[in-house]
Amino acid sequence: DAYPFDAGLVRLDDETSVLELFHGPTCAFKDFGARFMARVMSYFNRNADRRLHILVATSGDTGSAVGSAFYQVPGLDVTILYPAGKISPLQEKQLSTFDGNIRALKISGTFDDCQKLVKTAFTDDSLRAALRLSSANSINISRLLPQSFYYIHSSLALRAALAAEGKANDVVIMVVPSGNFGNLTSGLIAR
């Protein structure tokens, strides 16, 4: 249920492969972590007497991936905070067109302002008494761990393919685009 899509490993030449992490519903690598996280949280919340409320700050991809992943998942509500005018039109459509248990709030300011509101909510005793709170940002290990799965899977698949070709290679080098610290952290966990 968490992964009805795959992370394709495409060989470009004898030494270079590309791990395609855009095959999820929102075309973001964050779909892998968010979908697994939503199902795990729902499972562990199944006997709780109160819903779990997820607070998320986004500059685009996280909000879309979390909205899609948590949409209509039992026992969970999500509030996504995003900066007005600072995300792409496609991302805004992706994260603001959900209903039901997902709500997106446009905030005047920057991503840092959204993140500050989320962090402040976690330190607000009266809010925490009223709501069971958690986050789906990369500060939550349950989003990072499942992102490590595709590093492990692709590394093993590449090694098997090389061995089948008689090109045994025990060194796999992963390159991660800058600005993806959560993704890089997941790779380090896999290592």
Side-chain angles (χ1 to χ4, degrees), residues 43-56:
Y43 175 81
F44 285 110
N45 195 53
R46 71 189 182 284
N47 296 322
D49 58 347
R50 294 190 313 161
R51 297 175 68 79
L52 182 60
H53 197 98
I54 311 301
L55 290 177
V56 177

Side-chain angles (χ1 to χ4, degrees), residues 34-147:
R35 289 183 62 85
F36 182 87
M37 179 186 214
R39 274 99 188 129
V40 167
M41 285 180 155
S42 179
Y43 175 81
F44 285 110
N45 195 53
R46 71 189 182 284
N47 296 322
D49 58 347
R50 294 190 313 161
R51 297 175 68 79
L52 182 60
H53 197 98
I54 311 301
L55 290 177
V56 177
T58 188
S59 58
D61 287 348
T62 296
S64 300
V66 168
S68 174
F70 284 77
Y71 184 60
Q72 296 182 335
V73 174
L76 306 174
D77 290 321
V78 176
T79 299
I80 303 165
L81 305 178
Y82 69 99
K86 305 253 188 319
I87 65 173
S88 75
L90 174 62
Q91 290 169 327
E92 186 167 21
K93 286 176 185 169
Q94 283 181 329
L95 66 90
S96 66
T97 55
F98 294 106
D99 59 5
N101 66 324
I102 309 293
R103 67 194 61 71
L105 302 176
K106 188 184 312 187
I107 305 298
S108 293
T110 66
F111 167 75
D112 290 337
D113 296 320
C114 296
Q115 187 74 329
K116 183 178 179 184
L117 288 169
V118 169
K119 288 178 180 179
T120 300
F122 285 114
T123 61
D124 185 316
D125 291 335
S126 61
L127 184 59
R128 289 192 58 83
L131 297 172
R132 293 178 57 231
L133 296 176
S134 188
S135 177
N137 285 96
S138 57
I139 59 170
N140 192 320
I141 192 71
S142 62
R143 198 182 98 198
L144 293 178
L145 284 178
Q147 287 175 194

